Amino acid sequence: MSRARPVLRWADAAAALVIAAGVLVLALPHVLSAWQLTADSIEYLGIAHSFSSGAGFVDPVVYSYYLPPQFPMPAAAMRPPLVPLLLAIPIGLGATIETTALLHVVWAALVAIGVFLVARRWASPPSALAAAIGIGWAFGWIAMARLLLTEVTSVALVLALVACAPRGRASARGAAAFAALAFVAWLSRPNLAVAVPAVLGFNGLLRV
């Protein structure tokens, strides 16, 4: 038994490398060849630049037609605040848009590894690897890896909620930590609020 554990760890590490390598190979050429910016990405970057440059947490790019015009618009009135705050870190440190996009692809590769690690808790290594490859190498995931949007970070937070749910049910301290994590997920995408009962329900089924 003592010899099996290192082998299993090496197998998990190799699986993680395969998953990440696939995401990088599929996404990086697109990011390196052209700017992958949509209207939403430009707005997130604009908020991040305003915040990191000291202009305040405001939205300099307003695409909304249902709010009265106000410039600068409070960013939280337009977009979920978490991703712009995260983007403000590399931008504030001097990263260009291209470098920030590259970092986002690396982040997407790490989140794809997270799919494997979370699935590994309930499934066999081959099944967990298949799940991570099925998600991480899918066209939709690669598209989101190339774009500076909320989807990749939102999936990371859902995975964190799934991983932390057992502790959230085990103690008051764990429940408080789970609630704080759920709030952070809500700051990423408000519709992730519906993920909380889904995750807790899933965890409850596993305990039956």
Side-chain angles (χ1 to χ4, degrees):
M1 294 295 293
S2 60
R3 294 182 179 180
R5 289 181 180 177
V7 172
L8 186 59
R9 290 172 183 169
W10 278 108
D12 288 348
L17 287 176
V18 168
I19 296 163
V23 175
L24 296 176
V25 167
L26 292 171
L28 281 179
H30 299 279
V31 174
L32 293 173
S33 62
W35 280 18
Q36 305 292 320
L37 294 178
T38 64
D40 290 348
S41 299
I42 293 171
E43 194 165 5
Y44 286 123
L45 285 169
I47 295 170
H49 183 269
S50 295
F51 184 69
S52 63
S53 63
F57 194 61
V58 296
D59 186 355
V61 184
V62 179
Y63 290 111
S64 173
Y65 296 99
Y66 60 87
L67 290 175
Q70 176 184 344
F71 299 96
M73 181 72 74
M78 300 298 299
R79 296 289 175 178
L82 181 62
V83 168
L85 289 173
L86 294 176
L87 290 174
I89 297 173
I91 292 175
L93 294 174
T96 62
I97 293 176
E98 293 89 342
T99 302
T100 305
L102 290 175
L103 291 173
H104 191 261
V105 172
V106 174
W107 171 231
L110 294 175
V111 176
I113 294 174
V115 174
F116 169 75
L117 296 176
V118 173
R120 183 71 182 80
R121 300 178 64 175
W122 295 282
S124 64
S127 298
L129 177 60
I133 289 177
I135 294 174
W137 295 5
F139 172 80
W141 185 257
I142 298 304
M144 291 301 102
R146 291 155 42 191
L147 300 174
L148 298 172
L149 298 173
T150 61
E151 279 76 3
V152 172
T153 300
S154 297
V155 171
L157 289 167
V158 170
L159 291 172
L161 287 171
V162 172
C164 295
R167 294 186 178 181
R169 295 171 61 94
S171 66
R173 185 173 298 178
F178 183 84
L181 184 60
F183 177 71
V184 174
W186 179 77
L187 293 178
S188 173
R189 286 181 73 93
N191 56 6
L192 284 187
V194 301
V196 175
V199 168
L200 292 176
F202 169 73
N203 182 253
L205 289 175
L206 292 178
R207 298 181 62 182
V208 173

